[in-house]
Amino acid sequence: MSAEQETAAPQPKPPLQVLYCEVCTFPPEYCEFGSSLSKCKEWLKDEYPDLYDRYYSEEALQAKMGTMSMEQQTKLEQDAAKKEAKAEAKADAAKKKKLASQVLIKRIQRQKNKYVTAIHGLEAFDIDLKKAAKLFAQTFATGSSVTKNPQGQDEIVVQGDVSDEVLDMIREEKGVLKGVPEANVELIEEKKKKGS
Amino acid sequence: MGRLSAIPLEYAHLRSPSTESRVMFKKFQPSTDISGQTAVKSSVQRSIRAGILSNWKIDSDTFESIWPKKENITLVKCRDHISIYALHGVPLFFQHFEGPFYPTLRLLHKYPFVLPTVRVDRGAIRFLLAGAHMMCPGFTSKGGSLPPAEEALPAETPVAILAEGKEHAIAIGITKLSTEDIKKVNKGVGVEVVTHLGDDLWALQKV
């Protein structure tokens, strides 16, 4: 079938514009199989009422039944509801975890009067570590990199003692450093016996 | 001589991708599973282009608008010998070992005609989205469809998988049996799913 079209129209075929649901990223017709159906429905109703009617009106639902029996349909609906509840619980748990997680700003002594600053736990707040490291490097004009600490977690190590400045930056939500509540930030000093 | 011939045997499993499971983008984590990005040599690009043009149902003009000749594509190497090819950071197509090129699902949505299509019934959608391979009965039942006998597809053909009552493709797979055999055998895996809606490749919008 496409062979005929090709010979008839040698011009490049324009791409199809496909609408994706902003909630679950699926094409809206697949929202019903996602884990956030009710939210997807709301979104579609607000943004594209005509499409909403097409997918969720009574006759559309009837037509959708297609070859499936009543039992299968109800089972599917139950599953969808269950899945949705599960996804919500998961999101809640993730949110709680996020609220509980701490950002540590560590001042570590390397030499007598040479320090590095390690910032740990930013990734929990959806901050791109690489971009944040770059930001630190630019603002302090020092080396700044993402490294693995002994526990195998990623942290940002900035050369020089910039712990207070980093704290300020997080407070002011500079650049990519967004969404970290101040209460969750902690300044600590890593020993080597030097009173501060 | 004996030693020489022993070596290929040792690696024989590496050369036969068709025998191993292809659940490629299950638990695919971009942060750990992508090992590097490189520019692709222009000679290699040429052969990729030729390979795609001969395998997909697409004319060169249309393909030109997907991937203009002047643009250089990047190769994103991932675990298990998956290579994703991306243009300006957007994944366009991917390949497993030296296997066929598959378009990404987003690309397929834009150009739905590049791959031959098969359709599964509504009952199978749920399982497909959970990452299952597609069993033959899903295609032969009332809601499913396969190409007619004169357009039968041989085994190991990349196909777009559509779903009953839906407009857009839901997954991309590779036939394990020829479509005629699927109709005849009607049992077991008919099409292996390579990537489906909502898997980790779908989540990877930008590399």
Side-chain angles (χ1 to χ4, degrees):
Chain A
M1 43 157 212
S2 64
E4 287 170 18
Q5 284 169 3
E6 270 164 32
T7 46
Q11 272 84 30
K13 286 179 202 156
L16 232 67
Q17 287 304 321
V18 182
L19 174 75
Y20 295 116
C21 170
E22 271 167 27
V23 181
C24 61
T25 71
F26 290 5
E29 52 183 0
Y30 286 109
C31 280
E32 51 173 329
F33 293 99
S35 52
S36 54
L37 176 57
S38 52
K39 270 188 215 141
C40 295
K41 264 180 166 173
E42 253 169 53
W43 172 81
L44 198 66
K45 206 172 186 176
D46 287 349
E47 304 282 319
Y48 301 91
D50 47 327
L51 276 178
Y52 180 85
D53 284 346
R54 200 168 122 206
Y55 293 132
Y56 298 110
S57 64
E58 276 303 310
E59 59 260 49
L61 288 178
Q62 280 295 320
K64 256 196 325 202
M65 298 277 295
T67 56
M68 285 220 310
S69 67
M70 200 63 211
E71 288 154 45
Q72 273 176 312
Q73 185 64 30
T74 42
K75 177 139 195 307
L76 194 77
E77 269 159 25
Q78 276 171 5
D79 273 3
K82 215 191 270 172
K83 221 167 147 192
E84 201 170 333
K86 223 181 214 170
E88 246 160 51
K90 209 173 162 191
D92 266 5
K95 212 173 161 191
K96 248 182 217 155
K97 204 174 162 196
K98 191 171 155 183
L99 284 180
S101 58
Q102 287 272 329
V103 174
L104 293 180
I105 302 176
K106 257 189 258 174
R107 192 168 81 132
I108 306 167
Q109 198 174 36
R110 281 281 150 90
Q111 294 276 317
K112 195 96 201 228
N113 59 350
K114 286 188 166 57
Y115 296 90
V116 295
T117 311
I119 302 138
H120 176 75
L122 279 180
E123 71 275 7
F125 296 94
D126 298 325
I127 292 171
D128 189 336
L129 290 187
K130 260 192 190 158
K131 290 212 178 104
K134 183 97 189 172
L135 178 72
F136 290 136
Q138 273 166 353
T139 38
F140 304 131
T142 58
S144 167
S145 63
V146 181
T147 44
K148 283 219 158 74
N149 68 2
Q151 285 90 44
Q153 294 150 315
D154 279 336
E155 59 182 22
I156 300 177
V157 175
V158 189
Q159 290 174 17
D161 176 9
V162 290
S163 44
D164 293 330
E165 287 91 332
V166 169
L167 188 62
D168 287 344
M169 282 174 78
I170 291 177
R171 204 177 290 149
E172 287 160 25
E173 310 209 324
K174 277 256 172 65
V176 289
L177 302 170
K178 282 209 176 69
V180 185
E182 206 191 321
N184 289 17
V185 187
E186 206 182 340
L187 265 181
I188 45 174
E189 172 131 1
E190 205 160 82
K191 29 112 203 273
K192 250 196 179 172
K193 269 183 210 147
K194 238 235 154 174
S196 59
Chain B
M1 189 62 200
R3 254 186 78 210
L4 276 178
S5 61
I7 292 167
L9 265 182
E10 238 172 87
Y11 291 101
H13 65 283
L14 287 182
R15 287 182 292 138
S16 54
S18 58
T19 52
E20 65 185 73
S21 128
R22 246 179 257 250
V23 215
M24 288 189 211
F25 295 103
K26 222 173 195 180
K27 299 221 177 109
F28 180 84
Q29 278 185 324
S31 56
T32 55
D33 290 334
I34 291 181
S35 48
Q37 297 189 19
T38 42
V40 182
K41 269 198 278 183
S42 64
S43 58
V44 179
Q45 289 198 24
R46 224 177 301 136
S47 68
I48 293 172
R49 196 181 282 271
I52 290 179
L53 283 175
S54 66
N55 284 330
W56 294 2
K57 286 196 289 189
I58 191 166
D59 53 299
S60 50
D61 287 328
T62 314
F63 193 60
E64 177 77 23
S65 61
I66 300 176
W67 175 16
K69 247 179 207 129
K70 291 258 167 68
E71 306 284 356
N72 281 324
I73 213 159
T74 42
L75 163 65
V76 182
K77 276 191 195 157
C78 310
R79 59 116 207 251
D80 296 342
H81 297 266
I82 297 171
S83 349
I84 301 174
Y85 295 90
L87 187 65
H88 304 309
V90 180
L92 284 186
F93 39 89
F94 60 93
Q95 183 187 26
H96 188 214
F97 284 91
E98 297 297 308
F101 291 100
Y102 303 98
T104 56
L105 208 48
R106 280 196 175 79
L107 183 66
L108 184 73
H109 283 160
K110 282 187 191 152
Y111 300 91
F113 47 81
V114 297
L115 293 181
T117 55
V118 292
R119 177 141 42 88
V120 293
D121 58 23
R122 206 175 139 76
I125 299 178
R126 197 154 58 94
F127 300 104
L128 209 171
L129 289 182
H133 291 322
M134 285 296 96
M135 305 291 155
C136 296
F139 297 106
T140 52
S141 73
K142 205 176 139 219
S145 83
L146 286 167
E150 58 268 23
E151 286 172 41
L153 305 167
E156 305 286 327
T157 317
V159 286
I161 303 175
L162 304 178
E164 179 190 357
K166 306 286 182 197
E167 185 185 345
H168 300 296
I170 183 171
I172 295 168
I174 182 161
T175 52
K176 283 282 104 184
L177 299 166
S178 72
T179 50
E180 286 308 295
D181 277 347
I182 293 179
K183 287 176 199 166
K184 252 183 269 158
V185 180
N186 204 11
K187 213 183 218 177
V189 176
V191 174
E192 270 188 10
V193 172
V194 179
T195 174
H196 62 84
L197 215 54
D199 69 357
D200 291 328
L201 179 65
W202 177 260
L204 187 76
Q205 296 190 18
K206 271 260 177 205
V207 185

